[in-house]
Amino acid sequence: MSYKREIQFNPMSSTSSTGEYDHNRQEQFISSSQNVKQEPNVGLFSDDGVNILMQQLCQDMKVTITESIKTKARLLFQKCITMSQVLESSVNKQASLAFCSLLLASRLQNKEGERYADEQLIDHLDKFELQSDGVIPLHSLVHIKQNIPMNFSELFELLNNSMISLQFENTSCYTQLQLAQKKLILCDNLFNLYKQCYSEFISKNLSTELFKMGWVSFGIIAKHLPSSFFDFEETLHCLVSFILIFWTCLKEIRISNTIEEIYNLCYIKNVNEEIHQFTDNKIKEIFKVENFNDFLINPNSITLIHEIFDKQIDTLGSLGFDERVFLIRNDVDFIGDINRLTSSPVYQIGTVRGSSNDPLRSPLRSPRSLNNIISPLQATISTIQLLEDTLHIEQTTPNEELLRFLKACNIDQTLNIENRVQSLVEQVPVNHLFMSNAQKRKDYVIKTYYQVLRTMLQAEEKRLGGVANFTTLLTNENFHRSHIVCSIECIMFAYNCRDKCHFITLLDKFYLEPFELAIVIESFVQHATWLNSGLKRHFRSIEEKLLGQLVWRKGSILYSKLDTISVPQPPKPGNETPKRQIEAFGMYSPIAKRQQQPNVKGSYSVQFFFRKVYKLVSRRIQELCIEFNLTQQEKTSQNEPMNVSLELMEQVWHIVHYVLNEARFLMVNRHIDHIIMCSMYAICNKVNRMRLSFRDIIINYKHICENNGTISAVEVGKILWQVCLEKENEFGDIVKFYNSVYIPAVKNFILDRSSYARPEMPYVELYSKKVAPNFVLSPRKSMTPRNFMSPTHNQNEQFFNQMTPKTKALYSFGSCCTVKHYDNTTSPTTEAKRGVKRTLDFGEGDTQTTTTQNLDTKIVKL
């Protein structure tokens, strides 16, 4: 059976030559929210083709599946290929999706008390549960024939996107798959170190049975560690210990008589003595030998080692993989590029060596040379050593300097602080978070808390000219809870425990509002002066998630605050960055009330919060516009690339500002990026007649998220795919949100340019307004024909006729949200020239309109 079947496309007859609906043709304006059926723009296998493909995969894997599993797998395949363009025209990716569908279908069961037929799966996905175990194990991937090569990295990436699209991310199966990804990344890093050490100290020949015996033996021992092969530091020390023992036993064949360099090679100063003793004892216990050398020279040992390995129990069950797969990578690469697994529960994937503040690079397009990327294991060990070097001199109780501040309060706060810290830390399941050296890492949390608190108080005392009484701060419960959460995040990041507890869980555990953490986190980072770039990026990611999404959840304390006070206005251009001495202590500063904006009624905390939100919004708008302009400049086929001007960027800002001030209901349970992307589409495409599609915006948004590293691929998928619509539990893609919720709420503001205040946009960080890169400050001609009739016009005629021409022009028609979370989408090779219209045009006429004014142009380049 050949998998290179001809892919049958189902092209949309109503598309333009570019493959997209033409948004500038007035007759086509029918809201996508009213469409009964949304056609995919990808090639689909027929049902027979899918069945044949899955049957061949099962034969390769030597598994037998029931008709029920076949039916569910086929439905999942068709659902995933419709919801996300994961396949393009690649047969290999279609085979990967078929494998994923089989893997998931074999684990789907009716929930207790529910009785739905297999054919009802897609319509009632919430009535089925996804179990961890199934008849198709993950490792069966290696048995699939080589004419359709797959690897674990691509498979995990596809599984992540598929399970998010199907809303299975809260299942135990998804949790297990996240652990499997973490283990894959760790094993890949360890195997590369093992190869390097073996060739450096034992033998240059990596194809011998001895090399294989060493790796398999280590895999057996590592599974007996307390962390069961999941803790980066513990497993690395186990590998170093094993290599030291291995090298000692091979005196006659080893190529090096010294091994001191192994510590530098493995990023550590010395091996942990407890783990070294553990490794030595396990070798004797498992292989039942006193002298490991005698075991290694025995010709039957290789068979015995594989037998022992096969008897080991994998904690991941059928979602685990065989560590021996790394030994066959030279023939077939079953691992793939682990740097693609950005949604795995591992920090610092694809970390670039060197400064992140290189003035010669673009702020949006960081160089990602493979030579500059350090492994997650190396980045983790480096952060752990930084933590140990910083905290080894600290105490788990307040030192004399901190006690001075505690006793200077109106009432001595020493006992209150100590008891509060112990109480808060005890609420965290430390043994669950840190399976290895739990007490040591718990102490690090407390030490971090006291060290940063002391630095904060010292800085504030200096700023206030000797004032040491901080009763307001030190008696504020929310401040201490926020401070503890930040301290825990430091330690979790250092030891790569992302899979154990998300910071949102910590907020819920401590009954802490996201708003409270959002106004403390910057102060923590400023005064934890020892944080490296990785930790700073991590806290930046947390802060952006708080400001952009979590504080806008339904029931947030922010809404109750805004009911009684006015929303502060953005700072005037040139005054965007407040003085550090004002911002250092945030809302808890003793002089906070005196720093409020003039003529603004409200608390300083709200002013502080909105100043940060405005800064985030401004940066996101600028990033999107610059990224779009950079993309246009790279299109060499266009003589006149389309660019977003500063004027258009200002108009996008005006809409977002209006939503934050007058239409905040749009923010409830949504992300600020939803509003920014929809505003950019409305202004550029509908108001100014640029042929800018949602696909363009989404591709550029994904590029920004990848380069900034603050939002993972799976989180991007959630932002674009799982948007809350009108009802609380109703979700759709961003195009449905735009048509059904966003436009009805903001159309009056867009159409009426005189009734609302439109403050100037604060330009921050990326550039000053005087030097704005890649912005075209002049209009361009619009060359889009406008006499095209949508085939769906008749069936939606009643809805269409209820709109005024101006309102019709605001809706998005034909925009398809069926991309693999908008990944791997290429632009058409030929398309009409794009343009920007100077005046507002809402499509009243049927004739083609162009701008004829002769205006001076000025292009500012990077």
Side-chain angles (χ1 to χ4, degrees):
M1 167 63 190
S2 174
Y3 295 101
K4 296 184 178 180
R5 299 174 58 87
E6 182 177 351
I7 302 174
Q8 301 175 2
F9 285 89
N10 184 13
M12 295 179 287
S13 59
S14 58
T15 56
S16 65
S17 61
T18 66
E20 299 178 7
Y21 283 100
D22 191 339
H23 304 297
N24 291 329
R25 292 164 181 170
Q26 183 178 0
E27 291 80 6
Q28 185 187 349
F29 288 134
I30 302 169
S31 171
S32 63
S33 64
Q34 302 295 322
N35 292 343
V36 177
K37 181 179 180 181
Q38 185 178 25
E39 295 291 343
N41 63 345
V42 296
L44 302 180
F45 275 124
S46 64
D47 287 348
D48 290 340
V50 173
N51 290 334
I52 293 173
L53 173 60
M54 291 183 177
Q55 182 179 357
Q56 184 63 49
L57 290 175
C58 291
Q59 290 178 2
D60 290 348
M61 295 183 290
K62 298 180 180 179
V63 296
T64 302
I65 59 175
T66 64
E67 288 298 324
S68 174
I69 294 178
K70 289 181 183 179
T71 301
K72 288 184 285 192
R74 177 175 51 80
L75 292 173
L76 288 176
F77 180 93
Q78 299 291 3
K79 178 65 174 179
C80 288
I81 200 175
T82 302
M83 292 178 66
S84 53
Q85 189 175 342
V86 294
L87 306 178
E88 304 169 284
S89 58
S90 168
V91 176
N92 290 340
K93 286 193 175 182
Q94 297 206 24
S96 297
L97 183 61
F99 178 82
C100 291
S101 301
L102 287 168
L103 188 77
L104 297 177
S106 67
R107 289 163 170 77
L108 275 174
Q109 300 291 337
N110 272 290
K111 289 183 177 179
E112 186 176 356
E114 303 290 351
R115 292 292 181 269
Y116 285 91
D118 296 332
E119 291 76 9
Q120 298 176 289
L121 171 66
I122 301 304
D123 294 330
H124 301 281
L125 269 174
D126 59 327
K127 305 300 182 183
F128 289 79
E129 60 182 0
L130 193 63
Q131 301 175 344
S132 299
D133 290 324
V135 296
I136 298 180
L138 180 70
H139 189 73
S140 58
L141 169 73
V142 300
H143 300 301
I144 297 175
K145 293 182 178 179
Q146 297 181 18
N147 61 335
I148 47 169
M150 301 181 192
N151 61 65
F152 283 107
S153 296
E154 291 182 356
L155 179 65
F156 280 132
E157 185 182 27
L158 187 56
L159 275 170
N160 276 330
N161 288 323
S162 299
M163 294 181 74
I164 292 299
S165 297
L166 297 169
Q167 299 185 19
F168 285 144
E169 68 269 24
N170 294 323
T171 62
S172 60
C173 181
Y174 185 77
T175 302
Q176 290 289 85
L177 282 171
Q178 289 279 290
L179 286 174
Q181 292 177 71
K182 180 178 182 178
K183 185 176 180 179
L184 180 73
I185 293 170
L186 177 56
C187 283
D188 182 80
N189 290 176
L190 292 171
F191 183 73
N192 290 333
L193 275 181
Y194 171 73
K195 284 197 306 181
Q196 194 173 358
C197 292
Y198 187 91
S199 62
E200 186 80 17
F201 304 115
I202 299 176
S203 173
K204 298 291 185 182
N205 188 355
L206 303 181
S207 60
T208 63
E209 293 295 334
L210 186 62
F211 173 78
K212 297 177 181 178
M213 286 175 62
W215 174 250
V216 177
S217 299
F218 165 71
I220 294 172
I221 296 168
K223 289 183 178 181
H224 289 80
L225 288 167
S227 65
S228 301
F229 223 137
F230 292 110
D231 187 272
F232 278 60
E233 182 192 37
E234 182 185 67
T235 313
L236 175 61
H237 280 273
C238 181
L239 175 65
V240 174
S241 299
F242 177 81
I243 294 176
L244 288 173
I245 297 172
F246 201 41
W247 175 83
T248 303
C249 294
L250 301 174
K251 296 180 180 179
E252 298 180 358
I253 65 172
R254 68 192 185 196
I255 60 177
S256 174
N257 291 323
T258 178
I259 200 170
E260 284 77 9
E261 286 298 318
I262 191 174
Y263 300 113
N264 290 333
L265 204 60
C266 296
Y267 330 123
I268 61 176
K269 296 179 180 179
N270 288 293
V271 69
N272 184 292
E273 290 298 331
E274 292 183 5
I275 296 180
H276 185 79
Q277 188 62 45
F278 170 88
T279 304
D280 187 42
N281 292 338
K282 283 299 175 183
I283 288 175
K284 297 175 182 179
E285 176 186 337
I286 295 172
F287 301 115
K288 303 186 187 313
V289 293
E290 287 296 327
N291 189 341
F292 193 41
N293 182 52
D294 296 338
F295 181 81
L296 293 174
I297 62 177
N298 187 337
N300 297 324
S301 293
I302 184 65
T303 302
L304 180 60
I305 285 177
H306 285 293
E307 290 178 356
I308 295 174
F309 187 95
D310 291 335
K311 293 178 182 179
Q312 300 293 307
I313 299 176
D314 195 327
T315 55
L316 295 174
S318 62
L319 292 175
F321 60 89
D322 193 322
E323 292 82 2
R324 291 173 293 188
V325 70
F326 290 91
L327 296 173
I328 56 177
R329 328 183 39 166
N330 295 330
D331 302 319
V332 180
D333 185 8
F334 285 111
I335 308 304
D337 181 11
I338 63 166
N339 289 313
R340 300 179 60 175
L341 296 176
T342 56
S343 299
S344 63
V346 174
Y347 296 115
Q348 306 189 75
I349 290 287
T351 301
V352 179
R353 180 185 288 107
S355 173
S356 61
N357 298 318
D358 185 354
L360 300 180
R361 70 173 176 85
S362 163
L364 299 180
R365 299 192 171 190
S366 305
R368 291 277 171 177
S369 170
L370 293 178
N371 295 328
N372 290 328
I373 294 179
I374 62 176
S375 70
L377 179 60
Q378 182 179 354
T380 298
I381 299 303
S382 175
T383 306
I384 291 174
Q385 290 180 351
L386 170 67
L387 197 70
E388 293 177 344
D389 292 342
T390 303
L391 300 179
H392 78 281
I393 60 174
E394 298 294 334
Q395 305 174 7
T396 55
T397 57
N399 64 7
E400 292 183 3
E401 179 67 8
L402 183 55
L403 286 172
R404 179 172 66 85
F405 291 107
L406 301 181
K407 293 178 180 179
C409 295
N410 297 338
I411 300 176
D412 188 349
Q413 294 296 314
T414 303
L415 288 178
N416 291 339
I417 293 291
E418 290 181 345
N419 293 336
R420 181 186 287 110
V421 170
Q422 290 295 332
S423 174
L424 292 174
V425 173
E426 290 299 328
Q427 294 181 37
V428 182
V430 178
N431 292 330
H432 172 68
L433 288 179
F434 311 121
M435 300 180 67
S436 176
N437 292 324
Q439 186 58 46
K440 173 185 174 182
R441 299 177 187 183
K442 175 183 175 181
D443 290 343
Y444 277 169
V445 172
I446 299 175
K447 288 181 177 182
T448 300
Y449 171 86
Y450 284 133
Q451 190 270 338
V452 179
L453 178 61
R454 184 181 69 247
T455 306
M456 281 183 177
L457 297 175
Q458 289 172 335
E460 192 72 353
E461 180 186 35
K462 181 179 180 180
R463 182 173 71 85
L464 297 177
V467 175
N469 187 342
F470 300 109
T471 302
T472 303
L473 170 73
L474 295 176
T475 56
N476 189 292
E477 184 71 22
N478 288 326
F479 170 80
H480 291 292
R481 292 176 183 270
S482 300
H483 197 46
I484 281 290
V485 168
C486 292
S487 301
I488 293 172
E489 279 296 319
C490 273
I491 311 306
M492 287 178 59
F493 179 90
Y495 288 97
N496 235 317
C497 300
R498 186 177 182 178
D499 56 297
K500 297 299 182 181
C501 184
H502 196 275
F503 84 94
I504 298 178
T505 306
L506 292 177
L507 296 182
D508 295 337
K509 188 76 175 177
F510 292 142
Y511 302 101
L512 182 65
E513 284 281 342
F515 175 81
E516 301 290 349
L517 181 59
I519 57 180
V520 171
I521 192 170
E522 182 180 354
S523 180
F524 179 91
V525 173
Q526 287 176 8
H527 294 94
T529 55
W530 47 271
L531 299 183
N532 60 14
S533 58
L535 277 163
K536 289 179 180 178
R537 283 194 300 270
H538 176 58
F539 279 110
R540 176 190 171 188
S541 175
I542 292 177
E543 183 183 50
E544 291 188 0
K545 190 173 183 66
L546 290 167
L547 297 174
Q549 183 179 22
L550 296 182
V551 293
W552 305 104
R553 293 189 300 188
K554 185 177 180 180
S556 171
I557 192 176
L558 175 63
Y559 296 115
S560 60
K561 288 179 176 291
L562 293 177
D563 288 340
T564 58
I565 63 176
S566 57
V567 176
Q569 294 306 300
K572 295 181 180 179
N575 298 320
E576 297 86 4
T577 304
K579 295 180 180 179
R580 284 295 176 189
Q581 65 173 7
I582 296 175
E583 201 165 329
F585 237 39
M587 65 171 290
Y588 300 107
S589 171
I591 60 171
K593 294 182 179 180
R594 285 184 277 156
Q595 305 297 342
Q596 295 186 45
Q597 293 183 8
N599 303 322
V600 174
K601 179 183 178 181
S603 69
Y604 178 78
S605 62
V606 175
Q607 291 186 42
F608 184 79
F609 169 78
F610 269 93
R611 191 163 63 224
K612 297 167 77 67
V613 170
Y614 288 141
K615 181 179 178 181
L616 174 63
V617 169
S618 176
R619 189 175 74 247
R620 288 283 172 83
I621 294 175
Q622 293 174 61
E623 287 175 340
L624 265 178
C625 295
I626 293 176
E627 180 69 23
F628 177 77
N629 290 346
L630 289 172
T631 303
Q632 289 299 307
Q633 289 184 1
E634 292 172 357
K635 292 183 178 180
T636 57
S637 61
Q638 290 186 335
N639 296 327
E640 289 187 83
M642 175 178 57
N643 285 271
V644 179
S645 68
L646 287 170
E647 180 184 358
L648 297 185
M649 189 170 66
E650 288 276 355
Q651 294 178 28
V652 175
W653 156 256
H654 291 156
I655 300 181
V656 180
H657 178 268
Y658 168 78
V659 170
L660 292 175
N661 285 264
E662 304 293 338
R664 281 192 299 274
F665 65 90
L666 285 178
M667 290 297 303
V668 178
N669 290 335
R670 299 187 181 99
H671 199 290
I672 192 85
D673 290 349
H674 294 145
I675 309 302
I676 294 174
M677 285 187 281
C678 288
S679 300
M680 184 174 179
Y681 179 80
I683 289 297
C684 295
N685 186 295
K686 297 305 178 183
V687 176
N688 291 277
R689 317 308 293 162
M690 293 173 62
R691 292 192 62 242
L692 172 68
S693 67
F694 254 116
R695 177 177 297 178
D696 295 325
I697 295 173
I698 288 163
I699 292 173
N700 292 324
Y701 177 73
K702 185 177 183 299
H703 288 167
I704 292 170
C705 294
E706 286 178 349
N707 290 321
N708 287 349
T710 56
I711 304 179
S712 70
V714 166
E715 289 174 329
V716 170
K718 291 180 181 179
I719 291 172
L720 300 174
W721 194 259
Q722 298 182 13
V723 188
C724 183
L725 300 180
E726 294 181 274
K727 298 179 181 179
E728 185 173 351
N729 295 321
E730 181 185 7
F731 297 92
D733 57 54
I734 193 169
V735 177
K736 290 182 179 179
F737 166 72
Y738 174 90
N739 284 321
S740 63
V741 181
Y742 173 83
I743 280 297
V746 302
K747 68 178 181 179
N748 290 336
F749 174 80
I750 297 176
L751 296 174
D752 186 354
R753 297 177 59 83
S754 60
S755 299
Y756 300 92
R758 296 173 186 264
E760 195 170 355
M761 176 179 175
Y763 292 82
V764 296
E765 289 194 356
L766 298 184
Y767 54 83
S768 67
K769 191 174 181 180
K770 293 182 180 179
V771 188
N774 300 299
F775 280 100
V776 179
L777 306 182
S778 65
R780 294 188 181 273
K781 294 182 179 181
S782 175
M783 303 181 63
T784 308
R786 305 179 56 187
N787 54 2
F788 188 82
M789 178 71 73
S790 166
T792 56
H793 175 76
N794 292 332
Q795 68 186 32
N796 295 277
E797 185 174 3
Q798 182 178 2
F799 174 77
F800 174 79
N801 290 333
Q802 292 174 352
M803 297 183 183
T804 64
K806 289 186 177 182
T807 300
K808 294 172 189 175
L810 295 178
Y811 281 82
S812 172
F813 307 104
S815 291
C816 192
C817 207
T818 59
V819 184
K820 178 192 177 183
H821 299 308
Y822 312 95
D823 189 16
N824 299 329
T825 306
T826 56
S827 300
T829 56
T830 59
E831 58 182 20
K833 291 184 179 180
R834 300 182 175 187
V836 181
K837 296 197 66 177
R838 186 71 172 178
T839 57
L840 292 177
D841 182 353
F842 293 94
E844 287 90 340
D846 294 329
T847 59
Q848 179 177 345
T849 305
T850 60
T851 57
T852 58
Q853 298 96 323
N854 270 326
L855 299 176
D856 294 334
T857 64
K858 180 180 180 182
I859 301 177
V860 184
K861 296 183 178 180
L862 278 174

